Amino acid sequence: MAGRGTPATALLDKQRVAHTLHSYEHDPRHESYGLEAAEALGLVPERVFKTLVAEVDGKLAVGVVPVTVQLDLKGLAAALKGKKAKMAVVADAERATGYVAGGISPLGQKKRLPVVVDASALEFDTLFCSAGRRGLEVELAPAELVRLTNAVVANISA
């Protein structure tokens, strides 16, 4: 894999946050990026979190939830003191974050979007999320993810 650096890993290095990168060979035929990561790395899927971009009252925001669940859009809107949420158009999500779908990281996004991390993340010493590229996951403490993204923690899984 050429060059492991991404904006997410650069942020982690700059902030001197303890983390571990885990890479695997991405299979474009796999139906779920997150479940693929869990399987490829031999992880309990509940510890692997996906980054989903939604629109809350017309503004982009990010929900970080386990790969085993769906994003609760009402919960996301409520956590951000909004009224209505819907999934963002993929092209809008990619443009705002600077990442491609399936590799969107909550860290190091081009445009800093409001982030909500599902409360279940706090049950683990470390969690896994995209490091900014398909086939590259970062393992870090949930508290560090919350701190670096200035996230709200709430129940946003359905």
Side-chain angles (χ1 to χ4, degrees):
M1 185 180 302
R4 292 170 58 91
T6 67
T9 61
L11 174 66
L12 291 165
D13 290 342
K14 182 179 176 191
Q15 295 289 322
R16 295 195 170 119
V17 172
H19 67 281
T20 306
L21 292 178
H22 300 270
S23 62
Y24 60 93
E25 194 62 42
H26 166 62
D27 179 357
R29 296 168 301 186
H30 204 288
E31 291 180 17
S32 165
Y33 297 113
L35 290 175
E36 176 192 22
E39 291 167 11
L41 298 173
L43 300 169
V44 177
E46 291 79 11
R47 261 182 88 196
V48 180
F49 284 69
K50 57 188 172 185
T51 306
L52 300 171
V53 181
E55 273 185 42
V56 176
D57 296 341
K59 294 185 176 145
L60 294 179
V62 173
V64 181
V65 296
V67 300
T68 54
V69 302
Q70 298 294 313
L71 174 61
D72 174 3
L73 291 167
K74 286 183 182 178
L76 179 68
L80 294 173
K81 300 182 181 7
K83 291 187 169 112
K84 191 170 183 169
K86 66 179 183 177
M87 292 306 296
V89 175
V90 172
D92 293 343
E94 291 178 338
R95 192 169 27 261
T97 64
Y99 296 116
V100 297
I104 294 177
S105 177
L107 300 162
Q109 295 180 353
K110 187 164 59 173
K111 182 178 180 198
R112 194 163 175 140
L113 301 174
V115 175
V116 180
V117 174
D118 189 66
S120 67
L122 303 181
E123 297 170 13
F124 303 103
D125 291 335
T126 61
L127 60 75
F128 293 75
C129 66
S130 177
R133 186 169 53 237
R134 295 174 188 162
L136 187 63
E137 294 285 305
V138 63
E139 178 182 4
L140 75 163
E144 291 290 17
L145 176 64
V146 169
R147 181 180 69 81
L148 289 173
T149 59
N150 199 26
V152 172
V153 177
N155 292 313
I156 58 165
S157 58

